Amino acid sequence: KAIFLSLCSIWIEDCKIPLNTLVSSESSSGKSYICKNIIEIFPKGLVQYRTKITPEAFTYWHNGEFGWTWEGKICSLEDISQQLLDSTTFKVMCSEGSTSTVVIRQKAVDINIKGKPMFLITTAQTNPQTEILNRFQIVSLDESKEQTERIIDREAEIAETGFRDEYSPYVTKAFELLKRRKVKIPYIKKVVKSLKEKHQFDSLRFRRDFSRLLNLVKCSTVLHQYQREEENENIIANEQDYEIARECINYIQAQTSKGLTHKL
């Protein structure tokens, strides 16, 4: 739910802080399986999926395509390398898009990378540094023996019956009808008052983490945009949107705020 909700930020028109997500767990934990199945819910035209990519590729990827922008797109990268994580181009792309200057036929040429995607990346071997941890939410998977037992039981059931669940075509079709919208959160000052009383804002991280909370509320709102009230072209977030966002950010922040990868 945390990964899925974060990706719904592609429909927030004024999303200032990208909800990039790094899924960091041991090999064989199911990172690729889970991410691929989540990505399948979204319209294919909004997803760019790669199993291998170099830092320089972002400079030329879709360059020259008329009307192309990374805004409102998901970039899903599987099992990324340490070289990519440490590259300057990738770090800038994760936060604000970029303009690159390259040499073509002995002449300096500026290439403007339009927009910024929402990144969903998986890794098992890399060790993300502080700059990446500041740009990504960390999600680790359940590696308990109880979860292993549930997975094996489910795979055995599928093998025995030959039946595997698939998404309803009505659901995937509904996602194609979602649009980028602006969101208004009328009760947010009450949330701020509660945070002040509990946490005193004694860390600089609150500046970024509060923006993430706001965006997760907005993610739920744009996902339910046909079930929410509107006012002056803004969709109005209700209390259910806050409860959904709170559940997800508590799960995410339990790992991200400690600044630890699964290996640490």
PDB file of all heavy atoms in Angstrom, residues 28-30 33-34 140-155 251:
ATOM      1  N   SER A  28      15.822 -12.588  -3.293  1.00  0.00           N
ATOM      2  CA  SER A  28      14.773 -13.613  -3.165  1.00  0.00           C
ATOM      3  C   SER A  28      13.644 -13.204  -2.229  1.00  0.00           C
ATOM      4  O   SER A  28      12.757 -14.017  -1.939  1.00  0.00           O
ATOM      5  CB  SER A  28      15.347 -14.972  -2.692  1.00  0.00           C
ATOM      6  OG  SER A  28      16.318 -15.436  -3.607  1.00  0.00           O
ATOM      7  N   SER A  29      13.645 -11.960  -1.755  1.00  0.00           N
ATOM      8  CA  SER A  29      12.570 -11.521  -0.865  1.00  0.00           C
ATOM      9  C   SER A  29      11.300 -11.148  -1.628  1.00  0.00           C
ATOM     10  O   SER A  29      10.229 -11.004  -1.030  1.00  0.00           O
ATOM     11  CB  SER A  29      13.037 -10.324  -0.025  1.00  0.00           C
ATOM     12  OG  SER A  29      13.358  -9.234  -0.863  1.00  0.00           O
ATOM     13  N   GLY A  30      11.411 -10.967  -2.948  1.00  0.00           N
ATOM     14  CA  GLY A  30      10.222 -10.683  -3.752  1.00  0.00           C
ATOM     15  C   GLY A  30      10.097  -9.245  -4.203  1.00  0.00           C
ATOM     16  O   GLY A  30       9.003  -8.794  -4.554  1.00  0.00           O
ATOM     17  N   TYR A  33       8.924  -9.000  -7.891  1.00  0.00           N
ATOM     18  CA  TYR A  33       7.557  -9.510  -8.012  1.00  0.00           C
ATOM     19  C   TYR A  33       6.547  -8.470  -7.550  1.00  0.00           C
ATOM     20  O   TYR A  33       5.567  -8.176  -8.241  1.00  0.00           O
ATOM     21  CB  TYR A  33       7.407 -10.795  -7.196  1.00  0.00           C
ATOM     22  CG  TYR A  33       6.009 -11.368  -7.200  1.00  0.00           C
ATOM     23  CD1 TYR A  33       5.574 -12.189  -8.232  1.00  0.00           C
ATOM     24  CD2 TYR A  33       5.120 -11.068  -6.176  1.00  0.00           C
ATOM     25  CE1 TYR A  33       4.293 -12.713  -8.238  1.00  0.00           C
ATOM     26  CE2 TYR A  33       3.831 -11.578  -6.172  1.00  0.00           C
ATOM     27  CZ  TYR A  33       3.419 -12.400  -7.210  1.00  0.00           C
ATOM     28  OH  TYR A  33       2.144 -12.911  -7.214  1.00  0.00           O
ATOM     29  N   ILE A  34       6.796  -7.897  -6.383  1.00  0.00           N
ATOM     30  CA  ILE A  34       5.854  -6.924  -5.825  1.00  0.00           C
ATOM     31  C   ILE A  34       5.806  -5.664  -6.669  1.00  0.00           C
ATOM     32  O   ILE A  34       4.727  -5.166  -7.011  1.00  0.00           O
ATOM     33  CB  ILE A  34       6.235  -6.600  -4.362  1.00  0.00           C
ATOM     34  CG1 ILE A  34       5.871  -7.773  -3.459  1.00  0.00           C
ATOM     35  CG2 ILE A  34       5.541  -5.330  -3.883  1.00  0.00           C
ATOM     36  CD1 ILE A  34       6.267  -7.607  -2.021  1.00  0.00           C
ATOM     37  N   SER A 140      11.271  -1.680   3.052  1.00  0.00           N
ATOM     38  CA  SER A 140      11.814  -3.038   3.102  1.00  0.00           C
ATOM     39  C   SER A 140      10.656  -4.025   3.168  1.00  0.00           C
ATOM     40  O   SER A 140       9.578  -3.697   3.664  1.00  0.00           O
ATOM     41  CB  SER A 140      12.719  -3.211   4.326  1.00  0.00           C
ATOM     42  OG  SER A 140      13.869  -2.393   4.211  1.00  0.00           O
ATOM     43  N   LEU A 141      10.891  -5.221   2.669  1.00  0.00           N
ATOM     44  CA  LEU A 141       9.832  -6.221   2.634  1.00  0.00           C
ATOM     45  C   LEU A 141       9.881  -7.113   3.874  1.00  0.00           C
ATOM     46  O   LEU A 141      10.860  -7.145   4.609  1.00  0.00           O
ATOM     47  CB  LEU A 141       9.976  -7.071   1.367  1.00  0.00           C
ATOM     48  CG  LEU A 141       9.978  -6.297   0.053  1.00  0.00           C
ATOM     49  CD1 LEU A 141       9.985  -7.263  -1.130  1.00  0.00           C
ATOM     50  CD2 LEU A 141       8.784  -5.357  -0.041  1.00  0.00           C
ATOM     51  N   ASP A 142       8.795  -7.835   4.063  1.00  0.00           N
ATOM     52  CA  ASP A 142       8.688  -8.763   5.184  1.00  0.00           C
ATOM     53  C   ASP A 142       9.568  -9.981   4.892  1.00  0.00           C
ATOM     54  O   ASP A 142       9.292 -10.756   3.987  1.00  0.00           O
ATOM     55  CB  ASP A 142       7.228  -9.184   5.347  1.00  0.00           C
ATOM     56  CG  ASP A 142       6.999 -10.026   6.595  1.00  0.00           C
ATOM     57  OD1 ASP A 142       7.998 -10.487   7.193  1.00  0.00           O
ATOM     58  OD2 ASP A 142       5.831 -10.226   6.976  1.00  0.00           O
ATOM     59  N   GLU A 143      10.644 -10.145   5.658  1.00  0.00           N
ATOM     60  CA  GLU A 143      11.571 -11.257   5.447  1.00  0.00           C
ATOM     61  C   GLU A 143      11.425 -12.333   6.529  1.00  0.00           C
ATOM     62  O   GLU A 143      12.301 -13.184   6.697  1.00  0.00           O
ATOM     63  CB  GLU A 143      13.009 -10.735   5.410  1.00  0.00           C
ATOM     64  CG  GLU A 143      13.259  -9.748   4.270  1.00  0.00           C
ATOM     65  CD  GLU A 143      14.663  -9.155   4.295  1.00  0.00           C
ATOM     66  OE1 GLU A 143      15.449  -9.555   5.188  1.00  0.00           O
ATOM     67  OE2 GLU A 143      14.967  -8.310   3.444  1.00  0.00           O
ATOM     68  N   SER A 144      10.311 -12.320   7.238  1.00  0.00           N
ATOM     69  CA  SER A 144      10.104 -13.267   8.337  1.00  0.00           C
ATOM     70  C   SER A 144       9.792 -14.666   7.811  1.00  0.00           C
ATOM     71  O   SER A 144       9.370 -14.847   6.666  1.00  0.00           O
ATOM     72  CB  SER A 144       8.935 -12.794   9.215  1.00  0.00           C
ATOM     73  OG  SER A 144       7.711 -12.863   8.489  1.00  0.00           O
ATOM     74  N   LYS A 145       9.986 -15.661   8.646  1.00  0.00           N
ATOM     75  CA  LYS A 145       9.680 -17.039   8.241  1.00  0.00           C
ATOM     76  C   LYS A 145       8.178 -17.228   8.069  1.00  0.00           C
ATOM     77  O   LYS A 145       7.740 -18.075   7.275  1.00  0.00           O
ATOM     78  CB  LYS A 145      10.238 -18.027   9.265  1.00  0.00           C
ATOM     79  CG  LYS A 145       9.625 -17.939  10.668  1.00  0.00           C
ATOM     80  CD  LYS A 145      10.226 -18.992  11.587  1.00  0.00           C
ATOM     81  CE  LYS A 145       9.564 -18.955  12.962  1.00  0.00           C
ATOM     82  NZ  LYS A 145      10.141 -19.994  13.857  1.00  0.00           N
ATOM     83  N   GLU A 146       7.368 -16.431   8.799  1.00  0.00           N
ATOM     84  CA  GLU A 146       5.914 -16.515   8.641  1.00  0.00           C
ATOM     85  C   GLU A 146       5.497 -16.081   7.233  1.00  0.00           C
ATOM     86  O   GLU A 146       4.627 -16.694   6.609  1.00  0.00           O
ATOM     87  CB  GLU A 146       5.210 -15.639   9.687  1.00  0.00           C
ATOM     88  CG  GLU A 146       5.311 -16.134  11.116  1.00  0.00           C
ATOM     89  CD  GLU A 146       6.644 -15.799  11.760  1.00  0.00           C
ATOM     90  OE1 GLU A 146       7.398 -14.963  11.197  1.00  0.00           O
ATOM     91  OE2 GLU A 146       6.942 -16.359  12.826  1.00  0.00           O
ATOM     92  N   GLN A 147       6.143 -15.017   6.728  1.00  0.00           N
ATOM     93  CA  GLN A 147       5.843 -14.566   5.375  1.00  0.00           C
ATOM     94  C   GLN A 147       6.316 -15.586   4.340  1.00  0.00           C
ATOM     95  O   GLN A 147       5.638 -15.823   3.332  1.00  0.00           O
ATOM     96  CB  GLN A 147       6.485 -13.199   5.119  1.00  0.00           C
ATOM     97  CG  GLN A 147       6.238 -12.627   3.739  1.00  0.00           C
ATOM     98  CD  GLN A 147       4.796 -12.222   3.503  1.00  0.00           C
ATOM     99  OE1 GLN A 147       3.925 -12.434   4.340  1.00  0.00           O
ATOM    100  NE2 GLN A 147       4.543 -11.623   2.340  1.00  0.00           N
ATOM    101  N   THR A 148       7.475 -16.194   4.582  1.00  0.00           N
ATOM    102  CA  THR A 148       7.963 -17.249   3.689  1.00  0.00           C
ATOM    103  C   THR A 148       6.960 -18.388   3.608  1.00  0.00           C
ATOM    104  O   THR A 148       6.661 -18.905   2.521  1.00  0.00           O
ATOM    105  CB  THR A 148       9.326 -17.780   4.174  1.00  0.00           C
ATOM    106  OG1 THR A 148      10.265 -16.712   4.213  1.00  0.00           O
ATOM    107  CG2 THR A 148       9.845 -18.874   3.246  1.00  0.00           C
ATOM    108  N   GLU A 149       6.403 -18.758   4.754  1.00  0.00           N
ATOM    109  CA  GLU A 149       5.409 -19.833   4.791  1.00  0.00           C
ATOM    110  C   GLU A 149       4.156 -19.446   4.002  1.00  0.00           C
ATOM    111  O   GLU A 149       3.625 -20.270   3.238  1.00  0.00           O
ATOM    112  CB  GLU A 149       5.042 -20.145   6.247  1.00  0.00           C
ATOM    113  CG  GLU A 149       4.061 -21.289   6.401  1.00  0.00           C
ATOM    114  CD  GLU A 149       3.750 -21.605   7.857  1.00  0.00           C
ATOM    115  OE1 GLU A 149       4.482 -21.102   8.742  1.00  0.00           O
ATOM    116  OE2 GLU A 149       2.782 -22.344   8.108  1.00  0.00           O
ATOM    117  N   ARG A 150       3.713 -18.190   4.147  1.00  0.00           N
ATOM    118  CA  ARG A 150       2.520 -17.739   3.423  1.00  0.00           C
ATOM    119  C   ARG A 150       2.758 -17.745   1.911  1.00  0.00           C
ATOM    120  O   ARG A 150       1.879 -18.117   1.128  1.00  0.00           O
ATOM    121  CB  ARG A 150       2.117 -16.337   3.888  1.00  0.00           C
ATOM    122  CG  ARG A 150       1.460 -16.300   5.264  1.00  0.00           C
ATOM    123  CD  ARG A 150       0.869 -14.941   5.552  1.00  0.00           C
ATOM    124  NE  ARG A 150       1.884 -13.936   5.795  1.00  0.00           N
ATOM    125  CZ  ARG A 150       2.335 -13.607   7.012  1.00  0.00           C
ATOM    126  NH1 ARG A 150       1.860 -14.216   8.079  1.00  0.00           N
ATOM    127  NH2 ARG A 150       3.251 -12.676   7.160  1.00  0.00           N
ATOM    128  N   ILE A 151       3.946 -17.306   1.499  1.00  0.00           N
ATOM    129  CA  ILE A 151       4.273 -17.271   0.069  1.00  0.00           C
ATOM    130  C   ILE A 151       4.293 -18.688  -0.515  1.00  0.00           C
ATOM    131  O   ILE A 151       3.723 -18.945  -1.575  1.00  0.00           O
ATOM    132  CB  ILE A 151       5.641 -16.585  -0.145  1.00  0.00           C
ATOM    133  CG1 ILE A 151       5.517 -15.086   0.160  1.00  0.00           C
ATOM    134  CG2 ILE A 151       6.136 -16.798  -1.580  1.00  0.00           C
ATOM    135  CD1 ILE A 151       6.846 -14.363   0.180  1.00  0.00           C
ATOM    136  N   ILE A 152       4.931 -19.619   0.189  1.00  0.00           N
ATOM    137  CA  ILE A 152       5.021 -20.999  -0.303  1.00  0.00           C
ATOM    138  C   ILE A 152       3.636 -21.648  -0.362  1.00  0.00           C
ATOM    139  O   ILE A 152       3.297 -22.348  -1.324  1.00  0.00           O
ATOM    140  CB  ILE A 152       5.991 -21.812   0.575  1.00  0.00           C
ATOM    141  CG1 ILE A 152       7.423 -21.304   0.363  1.00  0.00           C
ATOM    142  CG2 ILE A 152       5.895 -23.303   0.262  1.00  0.00           C
ATOM    143  CD1 ILE A 152       8.448 -21.937   1.262  1.00  0.00           C
ATOM    144  N   ASP A 153       2.809 -21.393   0.661  1.00  0.00           N
ATOM    145  CA  ASP A 153       1.446 -21.931   0.655  1.00  0.00           C
ATOM    146  C   ASP A 153       0.657 -21.398  -0.533  1.00  0.00           C
ATOM    147  O   ASP A 153      -0.103 -22.132  -1.182  1.00  0.00           O
ATOM    148  CB  ASP A 153       0.727 -21.576   1.959  1.00  0.00           C
ATOM    149  CG  ASP A 153       1.217 -22.400   3.138  1.00  0.00           C
ATOM    150  OD1 ASP A 153       1.860 -23.455   2.897  1.00  0.00           O
ATOM    151  OD2 ASP A 153       0.969 -21.996   4.291  1.00  0.00           O
ATOM    152  N   ARG A 154       0.837 -20.113  -0.834  1.00  0.00           N
ATOM    153  CA  ARG A 154       0.109 -19.509  -1.946  1.00  0.00           C
ATOM    154  C   ARG A 154       0.589 -20.070  -3.286  1.00  0.00           C
ATOM    155  O   ARG A 154      -0.223 -20.377  -4.165  1.00  0.00           O
ATOM    156  CB  ARG A 154       0.302 -17.981  -1.912  1.00  0.00           C
ATOM    157  CG  ARG A 154      -0.391 -17.256  -3.045  1.00  0.00           C
ATOM    158  CD  ARG A 154      -1.885 -17.449  -2.998  1.00  0.00           C
ATOM    159  NE  ARG A 154      -2.539 -16.737  -4.086  1.00  0.00           N
ATOM    160  CZ  ARG A 154      -3.625 -17.166  -4.705  1.00  0.00           C
ATOM    161  NH1 ARG A 154      -4.184 -18.312  -4.340  1.00  0.00           N
ATOM    162  NH2 ARG A 154      -4.162 -16.470  -5.675  1.00  0.00           N
ATOM    163  N   GLU A 155       1.900 -20.209  -3.445  1.00  0.00           N
ATOM    164  CA  GLU A 155       2.440 -20.769  -4.680  1.00  0.00           C
ATOM    165  C   GLU A 155       1.976 -22.223  -4.867  1.00  0.00           C
ATOM    166  O   GLU A 155       1.683 -22.653  -5.994  1.00  0.00           O
ATOM    167  CB  GLU A 155       3.968 -20.713  -4.665  1.00  0.00           C
ATOM    168  CG  GLU A 155       4.540 -19.310  -4.843  1.00  0.00           C
ATOM    169  CD  GLU A 155       4.188 -18.723  -6.198  1.00  0.00           C
ATOM    170  OE1 GLU A 155       4.297 -19.427  -7.227  1.00  0.00           O
ATOM    171  OE2 GLU A 155       3.774 -17.543  -6.245  1.00  0.00           O
ATOM    172  N   TYR A 251       4.598   3.494   8.305  1.00  0.00           N
ATOM    173  CA  TYR A 251       5.340   2.317   7.851  1.00  0.00           C
ATOM    174  C   TYR A 251       6.631   2.730   7.162  1.00  0.00           C
ATOM    175  O   TYR A 251       7.693   2.159   7.404  1.00  0.00           O
ATOM    176  CB  TYR A 251       4.473   1.501   6.887  1.00  0.00           C
ATOM    177  CG  TYR A 251       5.204   0.339   6.254  1.00  0.00           C
ATOM    178  CD1 TYR A 251       5.429  -0.840   6.973  1.00  0.00           C
ATOM    179  CD2 TYR A 251       5.674   0.413   4.947  1.00  0.00           C
ATOM    180  CE1 TYR A 251       6.104  -1.894   6.407  1.00  0.00           C
ATOM    181  CE2 TYR A 251       6.354  -0.650   4.374  1.00  0.00           C
ATOM    182  CZ  TYR A 251       6.560  -1.794   5.105  1.00  0.00           C
ATOM    183  OH  TYR A 251       7.238  -2.839   4.536  1.00  0.00           O
TER     184      TYR A 251
END
